[in-house]
Amino acid sequence: MAKFVYSMLTSLDGYIARSDEDIALPVPETELHQHFNDMMRLASAVLAGRRMYETMRFWDSPERETGSTEVERDFARAWRETPKIVFSTTLRQVGPNARLVNGDAETAVRSLKSKTDGLVILGGADLAAGLARAGLIDEYRLYMHPVVLGGGKPYFQSGLSLRLKPLGRESLPQDVTLMRYAPANQAA
């Protein structure tokens, strides 16, 4: 059975972006980027809402290889190799190695969870909120940058109430702290 992990960079005050157009968080440098490359290589699939998918489509283009660093080229290859499932009611098509789901996300994810093995990375706060309410997220990974954005798009959607238990903490490059949590009602 798949393990669904909601994983995002955040500010200390809990925001993943200042706005849809302004992420405002520091760009991962080589060592931190490599951490995300390694995680992408472990993933069986990536789940994304429309906005997150459109942001990440940057990595779809083979021409992205030109002028990039080795760690960026490696991430682009890992991104392209990993199957993506995009949840959107407004998109009509998606790029290579991606499948569009415009129906009930909860039903689609329940089916995927029972038919897939390994790590499934979930990105996007709105999609994550719906799946969290349905009890479909197995782990929350907050990559906390030592910056304060003062507002914007929160990691946890307003009104979402969860009881979590800590799974661990890790210091990463760029003074990022990875904080891992699981739903408190989940078996260890």
Side-chain angles (χ1 to χ4, degrees), residues 63-113:
E63 55 274 7
R64 172 77 193 115
E65 305 279 334
T66 306
S68 302
T69 66
E70 179 53 39
V71 76
E72 290 170 332
R73 289 189 295 274
D74 182 54
F75 185 85
R77 286 187 294 271
W79 168 260
R80 289 192 303 265
E81 292 166 4
T82 304
K84 285 150 295 282
I85 301 165
V86 182
F87 296 88
S88 174
T89 58
T90 57
L91 288 176
R92 296 293 165 241
Q93 63 183 28
V94 290
N97 206 12
R99 177 171 56 103
L100 180 62
V101 174
N102 59 12
D104 178 31
E106 182 181 332
T107 300
V109 169
R110 282 190 194 285
S111 175
L112 179 68
K113 190 169 186 115

Side-chain angles (χ1 to χ4, degrees), residues 125-174:
D126 295 333
L127 177 61
L131 298 180
R133 285 186 180 94
L136 292 170
I137 297 178
D138 300 302
E139 184 177 327
Y140 298 85
R141 294 184 186 174
L142 291 85
Y143 289 87
M144 299 186 80
H145 272 285
V147 297
V148 174
L149 296 183
K153 184 79 163 179
Y155 179 94
F156 291 109
Q157 192 177 66
S158 180
L160 179 64
S161 179
L162 299 169
R163 285 186 45 99
L164 303 174
K165 63 183 175 187
L167 296 176
R169 167 186 291 208
E170 183 180 346
S171 293
L172 297 173
Q174 287 180 257

Side-chain angles (χ1 to χ4, degrees), residues 12-105:
L12 285 177
D13 54 345
Y15 295 100
I16 60 174
R18 190 169 287 139
S19 69
D20 287 341
E21 294 81 34
D22 181 16
I23 303 277
L25 291 168
V27 173
E29 295 170 4
T30 301
E31 290 177 336
L32 182 59
H33 212 302
Q34 187 61 53
H35 173 87
F36 295 117
N37 293 16
D38 295 343
M39 189 168 67
M40 185 62 67
R41 289 234 180 270
L42 292 174
S44 299
V46 170
L47 306 183
R50 179 191 56 82
R51 283 186 295 271
M52 179 57 65
Y53 177 69
E54 288 177 335
T55 298
M56 295 300 289
R57 291 251 2 230
F58 171 81
W59 300 102
D60 275 347
S61 302
E63 55 274 7
R64 172 77 193 115
E65 305 279 334
T66 306
S68 302
T69 66
E70 179 53 39
V71 76
E72 290 170 332
R73 289 189 295 274
D74 182 54
F75 185 85
R77 286 187 294 271
W79 168 260
R80 289 192 303 265
E81 292 166 4
T82 304
K84 285 150 295 282
I85 301 165
V86 182
F87 296 88
S88 174
T89 58
T90 57
L91 288 176
R92 296 293 165 241
Q93 63 183 28
V94 290
N97 206 12
R99 177 171 56 103
L100 180 62
V101 174
N102 59 12
D104 178 31

